[in-house]
Amino acid sequence: MATELLFRNDAYLKTAVARVVATGERYVELDRTIFYPLGGGQPGDTGFLVRENGERIAIVDTRKGETHDVIRHVLAAGATLPDIGEQLTLELDWPRRYALMRLHTALHVMSCVVIAPVTGGNIAPDKARLDFDIDMALLDAAKIESRTNDLIARAVDTETVWITDAELDAQPELVKTMSVQPPRSAGIVRLLKIPGIDLQPCGGTHVKNIAEIGAIRVTRIRNEGKRNKRVEIVLA
């Protein structure tokens, strides 16, 4: 059974009610969820499933199931599995998720400052990075930081845009990432649009306005190989 992805329409949901549709070794599948699964460089969400008797079941990770439209909530070791059909309250670890949203959106902005193909990326609650196929000599930490923060200061609202697979195929320049393919489902592709700044496929969670990012700091630039020059950032 496909999981209804509540975070797709509202990434700011912190709680919701859902029913258990399947369980397995250390995981629970629900009919709907606010938990984002690992993907696109963004880690899976954590939090709790709360039973009607008040028992709190810790969720230590969220992953995709056997098919892309099924989400598995990974339980802490030794946790009790809830019953099939049981109604649970979902509680997201919001401070962690919000940090991920801010950093994820910051990477979108930075990718418009460093004009080069993106060969990799990763986001953690305390830092994030992008790898670029670019000459190391062209990367200046102070300039990247300053120009990224200048764009963030525009305080632009973000938008979700959907286009067809055919429309994306006709606009290959929209895809900046060389290592991760855009998330495709049912013939349509989800894009993040930051008007006047960025437009690219992305299935992750982002802030409503880029001003929420605050300022960023470039903490390190290093050579990770012939086609991988890494720029690491943190929230200032």
Side-chain angles (χ1 to χ4, degrees), residues 41-211:
Q42 181 173 330
D45 282 328
T46 60
F48 291 92
L49 304 179
V50 184
R51 309 181 82 172
E52 289 188 354
N53 65 4
E55 179 185 354
R56 298 167 66 80
I57 303 171
I59 300 300
V60 297
D61 197 2
T62 307
R63 299 291 182 102
K64 293 179 182 177
E66 293 183 356
T67 58
H68 73 276
D69 57 356
V70 172
I71 306 300
R72 287 181 174 174
H73 305 77
V74 182
L75 278 57
T80 302
L81 286 171
D83 300 322
I84 304 296
E86 184 175 349
Q87 182 171 286
L88 303 170
T89 298
L90 286 57
E91 292 185 357
L92 187 66
D93 182 342
W94 175 247
R96 179 179 182 273
R97 156 70 88 72
Y98 191 52
L100 293 170
M101 288 166 58
R102 293 169 65 200
L103 281 164
H104 195 155
T105 313
L107 291 184
H108 278 266
V109 178
M110 187 175 73
S111 75
C112 300
V113 172
V114 181
I115 309 301
V118 176
T119 55
N122 188 260
I123 309 160
D126 60 339
K127 62 183 178 179
R129 53 93 172 168
L130 285 179
D131 297 343
F132 298 95
D133 183 4
I134 192 173
D135 191 307
M136 191 74 172
L138 298 176
L139 295 174
D140 181 283
K143 289 182 179 178
I144 294 170
E145 182 177 304
S146 175
R147 292 172 183 174
T148 300
N149 285 332
D150 285 346
L151 291 176
I152 291 170
R154 293 185 186 179
V156 176
D157 286 341
T158 63
E159 303 174 13
T160 296
V161 178
W162 294 89
I163 62 174
T164 66
D165 289 351
E167 288 173 323
L168 180 61
D169 291 338
Q171 303 175 78
E173 69 278 4
L174 292 176
V175 182
K176 297 181 181 181
T177 54
M178 299 172 64
S179 59
V180 180
Q181 289 298 309
R184 301 187 183 218
S185 175
I188 55 176
V189 181
R190 183 175 182 261
L191 286 75
L192 176 72
K193 181 178 181 180
I194 308 176
I197 297 176
D198 189 36
L199 176 65
Q200 63 175 297
C202 188
T205 58
H206 311 94
V207 294
K208 293 177 180 178
N209 186 294
I210 60 175

